[in-house]
Amino acid sequence: MVEKVLFVVFAALAVGSGVGVITRSNIVHALMLLIFSFVNIAAIYLLTSAFFIAVVQILVYAGAILVLFTFVVMFLNLRQYQSMEQLHPTQKWVALILTPLVLAEFVVVALAATWTAVGGAYDPETVAAGGGNVALLGERLFADALLPFEMASLILLVGMVGAVVLAAKEGHEYMDTRAWSGTDEERTPEFVEQEV
Amino acid sequence: MDIPIEWYLVLSAFLFVIGVAGVLTRRNMFIVLFSIELMMNAVNVNLIGFSRFHDNFIGQHFVLFTMTVAAAEAAVGLAIVTSLFRNRQTTMVDMFDLLKG
Amino acid sequence: MEHEFASYMNWIVPLIPALPLTAFLVTILFGKWYIKEQAHWLPILAMAAAFVLSLLVWWEVRQADEGFYVELFTWIPVGDLQVPLAFYADRLSTAMIMMVTGVSTLIFIYSKGYMHGDPGYYRFFSYLSLFAFSMLVLVLGANYVMLFFGWEAVGLCSYYLIGFYYHKTSAAAAGKKAFITNRVGDFGFSLGIFLLFVTFGTLTYTEVFEAVELEGAGTATMTAIALLLFTGAMGKSAQFPLHVWLPDAMEGPTPVSALIHAATMVTAGVYMVARSSVIFASSETAMLVVAGVGAFTAIFAASIGIAQTDIKRVMAYSTVSQLGYMFMALGVGAWIPAIFHLITHAFFKALLFLGSGSVIHALSGEQDMRRMGGLRSRIPYTYWALLAGAIALSGIFPFAGFWSKDEILGIAFKDGAYIIWAIGLVAAFITAFYTFRLIFMTFWNESRMEPEVEHHVHESPWSMTVPLMVLGGLSLVGGFLGFPPEAGVFHHFLEPVFEPANEILGIHHEPFGGIDLTLMIVSVAVAVSGVVLAYFFYVRQRDLPEKAGAAAQPLYKAIYNKWYIDEIYDATVVRLVIDGSRFLWRSFDAAVIDGIVNGVGKLWEVSGAAVRPAQTGKVQNYAGVMFAGVFVLLSAVIIAYGL
């Protein structure tokens, strides 16, 4: 019973701060509300006894990813855009009509469908007895999903390289293509050879 | 199980629709990115709920991978935003319509 | 009795066409950058070697009645149609290859001097080699498909060589004219081959002829086959009304005119009819048509020759006329005299062309006889060689032309074909007249040359005069191959080939008799009177031609304008095709076809413009549409599952 109450509280806070995220015109405020929403979701993970995921949610999501966002937002100094129109002029009406309808449909589906558990082996009591959530999750991860795990590491590497290349300032030393100052007529073979 | 699975699904639906509304309506590129993160978390809530419901770890594994992708997406997305901002001096999404027919 | 051929025949027969083919490939591939001015050596050597091999083949073939057949591989296997790449060397094709390789060798040597310094030197020799290859395939092929291949290939080479100076509009146009006119004939020819295959189920000579002899087919079928084949011969051998391309073909270099348009290619039609003698003999109508067309062409072309002023054009019309003679002979069943005339004509007409080439060479390219004259002492070798050719062409005893021409006339007379004999006699008279008109206008009297040209007159180099002398000698003595008339070496050699056809026609040989002698004297008298008339007109009283021309003004004009044949074609066939094409272009292509194509394009343009605004380029609009799609799908799921 206590859990249910806590779930409703955390869920309400998560949804409420989520609504705040998309309604603020100040980006920093929106970002803080997003972090708050993620912390609440982490709390719901804890209630669901997914302890490792809850910790990762706070460390990686709220901690790392959103801090990255914060950095960029701060760097770019976007305060001047707050005074501008924040909503898409035509699109907002589309969203206003569609979102409640889809939400209603989601809820209808969620409530009307009959859900049957397959009854796996890892209920919270067994997990606690078998060494705890982290140990068993890790065991199963490396047993069942080793290849995807490795691929995930590759994705991160690619993402990192991509981010560096995209964000690098043009005209930077290693991106520089040699500037050509003369006209085409002056491009003698000797010069080309020199350049090569 | 104390908390019914439907609760997770409804929570997830709310968070997801909030994210969609953000993506569809807001002009600021950062808010759009935030909304996308919100939508991903909605999916994660779903996965965690089902992981507990079925008493296995598959959902939790998925969440880990989702987070990995989210991290990569955030890094690349922010890099794109940065270079766009550098070139066009704006973060308003609807200003970028070079592919207009 | 089957004759056992020596085993080396298996490779020398295919080697004869292979030699010029090799020369062609090497010269065309390496000529431009590597061989250049030395391009003549390989083709000349290849041709000479082919000539030697032909002599070897002759040595073998003369011992056997039937031909030598060698099959290399099956070339076209399609259902019932099995066409082998095979060669057939019998007495007829052996006579042809000896003539082709021999004359070709001489003309190749001549070309070395004539084409010296031409920028297309290597190109010229490679085309000549390709032509020699094609011609040898034509005469050596063992079936009608090989014949057709060679037939088309020589046509192609002829097109290349007529248009050799392709930067000259008239040369390019003449090449096209030759090609298109030949298409008309070749269309009939290919139809004839199809009909032959449908009727007898085979295209190999020996099998076809055997089938014709043993079973035959209906007279109508045989007539159709023979006439269709003859259409092809009319195109290739420039018979009326398809003769128009040959005079224009003189735009090509003179060795080409000598080789292709006098000695070899144009005689392919005669060879083909002689080769198919059994088929033609099976149809009286076809024989009559061949004789009629030949006789008409003989006198028709000769009449045009009287009034031409271009030295090569006179010769071209003379060639057409002589080819008419050959067909006339074939038409009355005088197979061997026809081939005999073909061979002697190859000698003296090649000689005449090469000689006039030498004249043109000496006069720095001048071809108009009105601006020649008095060359007798200036270029003596050329003069004497040309004179020998002219006497041979006129048919004066004892030169080559006399024997072959007289034999044709004799057989026609004895056959009872008096009309044809009379036409032949008149044509012979005209021939003697215009031939000596050419000689007198070119070499006699005072010079009418431009001073600039006269200054440069020179005798041609040895590479040109030696072939002239050799051909001159052949023109002088070549006739004795056919001595005594109708029973000479040549006749005995070819007799077995035409035996089946003669059997069908019921021709038997009469011994040489008094009537032949009388006919000989008549024809020599006619020829000499033609020469004498020419002497009066062009040496003695040189105002006579103008007076005669003025007296018969319309006739003279008609002859001068080649009986307006070109104009008639322009006004009918050419006009019709051009107008029809223009009509189709304007009213069908431009309106209907283009309308459809543009309409289809317009459709997408309009519909594209209609849906274009949907592409706003704004990502959020796309996401919104996608979200609407999610809504629709979810609704569908809810309704479907009745949730």
Side-chain angles (χ1 to χ4, degrees):
Chain A
M1 192 58 213
V2 183
E3 286 166 332
K4 282 189 179 172
V5 173
L6 285 173
F7 182 92
V8 171
V9 171
F10 288 134
L13 285 172
V15 170
S17 48
V19 172
V21 169
I22 63 163
T23 48
R24 295 303 93 192
S25 57
N26 186 325
I27 301 171
V28 181
H29 291 178
L31 190 54
M32 290 308 151
L33 282 167
L34 186 67
I35 294 174
F36 184 65
S37 174
F38 284 3
V39 170
N40 279 302
I41 290 168
I44 285 170
Y45 293 168
L46 283 175
L47 281 177
T48 326
S49 60
F51 305 115
F52 181 66
I53 302 294
V55 172
V56 171
Q57 170 85 359
I58 290 173
L59 283 180
V60 175
Y61 243 130
I65 298 178
L66 294 184
V67 167
L68 181 66
F69 274 97
T70 320
F71 261 107
V72 174
V73 169
M74 299 296 186
F75 264 134
L76 295 185
N77 188 17
L78 300 165
R79 198 168 281 266
Q80 43 174 326
Y81 296 104
Q82 284 178 28
S83 52
M84 289 181 163
E85 175 60 52
Q86 294 294 319
L87 292 179
H88 198 285
T90 52
Q91 199 72 18
K92 63 186 174 191
W93 302 113
V94 177
L96 201 66
I97 298 161
L98 270 182
T99 38
L101 283 173
V102 175
L103 179 60
E105 284 184 336
F106 277 147
V107 172
V108 164
V109 171
L111 298 181
T114 319
W115 306 100
T116 321
V118 296
Y122 297 99
D123 58 284
E125 286 73 34
T126 328
V127 170
N133 176 268
V134 179
L136 283 180
L137 176 67
E139 236 170 62
R140 295 282 9 119
L141 181 66
F142 291 118
D144 299 339
L146 187 57
L147 186 64
F149 183 80
E150 294 294 338
M151 277 167 61
S153 65
L154 259 179
I155 288 173
L156 284 175
L157 180 67
V158 171
M160 193 168 79
V161 174
V164 170
V165 171
L166 282 169
K169 250 197 185 123
E170 275 170 46
H172 216 272
E173 216 176 318
Y174 56 87
M175 299 271 295
D176 192 18
T177 49
R178 276 185 78 160
W180 170 248
S181 50
T183 55
D184 277 356
E185 285 78 21
E186 290 170 313
R187 198 164 187 150
T188 58
E190 290 79 17
F191 183 88
V192 174
E193 207 179 313
Q194 212 177 33
E195 203 176 18
V196 170
Chain B
M1 196 181 153
D2 303 316
I3 304 160
I5 184 67
E6 286 86 357
W7 291 28
Y8 289 95
L9 295 180
V10 171
L11 169 62
S12 162
F14 268 94
L15 289 173
F16 186 80
V17 169
I18 290 167
V20 169
V23 168
L24 291 185
T25 53
R26 295 299 300 261
R27 296 175 67 212
N28 195 314
M29 223 183 288
F30 281 100
I31 304 285
V32 171
L33 281 177
F34 297 166
S35 304
I36 292 171
E37 297 297 338
L38 210 53
M39 286 155 79
M40 283 196 177
N41 266 277
V43 173
N44 285 354
V45 167
N46 241 343
L47 289 167
I48 293 292
F50 274 112
S51 172
R52 175 71 187 85
F53 183 62
H54 291 306
D55 282 334
N56 61 22
F57 284 125
I58 297 171
Q60 299 189 25
H61 291 167
F62 263 104
V63 172
L64 280 175
F65 292 128
T66 311
M67 283 180 179
T68 315
V69 173
E73 176 250 305
V76 175
L78 282 171
I80 291 172
V81 170
T82 318
S83 61
L84 276 177
F85 183 75
R86 197 182 292 138
N87 284 316
R88 302 286 294 269
Q89 310 302 326
T90 183
T91 57
M92 297 306 182
V93 188
D94 54 355
M95 305 298 278
F96 302 100
D97 59 352
L98 280 177
L99 286 178
K100 185 169 164 49
Chain C
M1 186 201 71
E2 283 284 315
H3 177 78
E4 198 66 40
F5 284 100
S7 62
Y8 64 78
M9 286 285 279
N10 280 318
W11 59 268
I12 58 169
V13 171
L15 199 57
I16 290 171
L19 280 170
L21 180 64
T22 315
F24 159 69
L25 289 175
V26 172
T27 312
I28 195 86
L29 287 177
F30 303 109
K32 189 163 188 179
W33 290 288
Y34 301 107
I35 308 177
K36 293 177 201 163
E37 272 78 61
Q38 303 304 315
H40 53 273
W41 285 115
L42 188 63
I44 290 174
L45 287 177
M47 263 349 272
F51 179 60
V52 173
L53 291 181
S54 307
L55 291 179
L56 266 176
V57 172
W58 166 72
W59 188 259
E60 285 290 329
V61 167
R62 62 186 268 281
Q63 301 166 18
D65 277 356
E66 69 280 350
F68 170 76
Y69 180 87
V70 56
E71 186 174 325
L72 298 185
F73 54 86
T74 303
W75 177 28
I76 307 174
V78 186
D80 290 341
L81 178 66
Q82 298 286 332
V83 180
L85 191 83
F87 295 109
Y88 183 62
D90 70 342
R91 289 167 176 234
L92 177 58
S93 44
T94 307
M96 288 297 287
I97 59 172
M98 283 197 293
M99 184 275 282
V100 170
T101 52
V103 173
S104 295
T105 309
L106 290 173
I107 291 175
F108 278 30
I109 295 170
Y110 179 90
S111 305
K112 175 193 176 293
Y114 189 83
M115 297 303 287
H116 181 75
D118 193 280
Y121 195 65
Y122 84 95
R123 202 158 52 90
F124 185 76
F125 275 98
S126 56
Y127 289 162
L128 274 191
S129 308
L130 180 63
F131 169 78
F133 158 73
S134 317
M135 190 69 206
L136 290 168
V137 169
L138 194 160
V139 292
L140 271 178
N143 52 55
Y144 278 97
V145 179
M146 300 272 298
L147 173 73
F148 190 69
F149 168 77
W151 193 270
E152 293 300 325
V154 290
L156 181 72
C157 297
S158 153
Y159 167 74
Y160 282 156
L161 285 164
I162 294 169
F164 184 74
Y165 301 122
Y166 52 84
H167 41 82
K168 250 169 73 184
T169 322
S170 58
K176 270 191 276 181
K177 187 171 179 183
F179 208 72
I180 293 168
T181 314
N182 268 299
R183 291 274 69 68
V184 179
D186 293 352
F187 180 63
F189 187 40
S190 47
L191 284 184
I193 294 177
F194 297 156
L195 191 54
L196 204 57
F197 177 71
V198 170
T199 315
F200 298 110
T202 176
L203 288 172
T204 304
Y205 291 146
T206 41
E207 292 167 12
V208 171
F209 301 150
E210 218 173 81
V212 174
E213 276 175 74
L214 295 181
E215 311 143 34
T219 320
T221 316
M222 291 317 293
T223 307
I225 292 174
L227 287 180
L228 285 170
L229 291 180
F230 183 59
T231 319
M234 278 161 70
K236 189 108 303 182
S237 297
Q239 293 302 290
F240 181 86
L242 297 181
H243 66 280
V244 286
W245 65 271
L246 187 58
D248 284 20
M250 296 303 128
E251 291 284 351
T254 307
V256 171
S257 312
L259 178 62
I260 301 186
H261 305 120
T264 54
M265 184 187 87
V266 289
T267 60
V270 179
Y271 165 77
M272 193 265 286
V273 174
R275 170 59 82 201
S276 318
S277 56
V278 179
I279 296 173
F280 280 86
S282 311
S283 164
E284 269 178 50
T285 322
M287 292 293 273
L288 201 65
V289 170
V290 172
V293 169
F296 180 71
T297 308
I299 192 161
F300 172 81
S303 71
I304 298 175
I306 300 175
Q308 298 306 308
T309 52
D310 183 316
I311 187 167
K312 284 178 77 182
R313 273 179 184 267
V314 175
M315 228 73 95
Y317 280 107
S318 156
T319 305
V320 175
S321 165
Q322 295 303 309
L323 288 165
Y325 247 92
M326 295 176 209
F327 281 110
M328 194 172 90
L330 293 170
V332 297
W335 315 106
I336 297 172
I339 299 297
F340 186 33
H341 195 55
L342 190 161
I343 304 277
T344 55
H345 173 256
F347 293 153
F348 61 70
K349 191 50 70 63
L351 168 63
L352 284 168
F353 266 114
L354 295 184
S356 48
S358 181
V359 170
I360 294 164
H361 190 77
L363 299 187
S364 322
E366 181 59 66
Q367 298 197 7
D368 195 332
M369 292 193 294
R370 285 170 298 193
R371 287 198 287 275
M372 295 183 181
L375 286 168
R376 202 162 18 152
S377 53
R378 305 289 296 275
I379 43 175
Y381 293 119
T382 307
Y383 169 65
W384 287 110
L386 256 180
L387 190 63
I391 298 173
L393 174 59
S394 308
I396 294 170
F397 183 86
F399 283 68
F402 164 74
W403 300 103
S404 50
K405 194 184 279 185
D406 181 65
E407 222 173 85
I408 294 171
L409 292 175
I411 289 187
F413 186 82
K414 284 190 286 181
D415 225 36
Y418 300 114
I419 299 173
I420 286 186
W421 173 77
I423 291 175
L425 216 54
V426 175
F429 174 75
I430 301 175
T431 303
F433 177 75
Y434 70 66
T435 310
F436 275 86
R437 168 176 176 264
L438 185 150
I439 293 289
F440 294 142
M441 280 182 86
T442 310
F443 291 100
W444 290 43
N445 307 332
E446 74 294 326
S447 163
R448 296 182 299 279
M449 287 178 282
E450 314 270 336
E452 179 64 20
V453 173
E454 186 160 9
H455 185 67
H456 286 113
V457 172
H458 58 281
E459 182 61 283
S460 304
W462 66 265
S463 60
M464 289 167 71
T465 47
V466 167
L468 284 181
M469 286 184 264
V470 173
L471 284 170
L474 283 171
S475 303
L476 181 57
V477 301
F480 290 98
L481 279 176
F483 182 82
E486 294 180 51
V489 184
F490 197 78
H491 301 82
H492 287 306
F493 181 64
L494 283 182
E495 210 139 38
V497 177
F498 297 110
E499 225 157 72
N502 283 341
E503 248 168 56
I504 295 174
L505 288 175
I507 291 177
H508 48 91
H509 290 282
E510 288 169 40
F512 185 76
I515 183 134
D516 294 281
L517 206 62
T518 321
L519 288 172
M520 271 183 181
I521 291 162
V522 169
S523 60
V524 171
V526 163
V528 169
S529 60
V531 175
V532 169
L533 190 66
Y535 180 74
F536 264 102
F537 264 58
Y538 293 96
V539 182
R540 268 301 176 74
Q541 297 198 296
R542 268 177 284 150
D543 54 340
L544 262 182
E546 262 179 47
K547 276 187 196 160
Q553 183 71 18
L555 184 68
Y556 177 75
K557 269 187 106 173
I559 294 173
Y560 185 77
N561 288 308
K562 309 155 213 161
W563 295 105
Y564 300 106
I565 296 291
D566 277 335
E567 283 73 13
I568 291 169
Y569 281 169
D570 275 345
T572 54
V573 181
V574 177
R575 192 78 258 152
L576 198 71
V577 169
I578 288 179
D579 283 352
S581 305
R582 186 164 290 146
F583 170 76
L584 286 177
W585 162 43
R586 291 255 168 80
S587 65
F588 189 71
D589 188 65
V592 179
I593 304 276
D594 287 4
I596 292 171
V597 173
N598 292 341
V600 170
K602 201 83 192 164
L603 178 69
W604 301 124
E605 203 181 308
V606 168
S607 51
V611 293
R612 188 176 142 182
Q615 297 288 321
T616 55
K618 291 179 178 133
V619 184
Q620 285 167 320
N621 290 145
Y622 302 154
V625 173
M626 204 169 126
F627 194 59
V630 171
F631 170 69
V632 170
L633 283 177
L634 260 177
S635 314
V637 167
I638 289 169
I639 292 163
Y641 286 90
L643 292 171

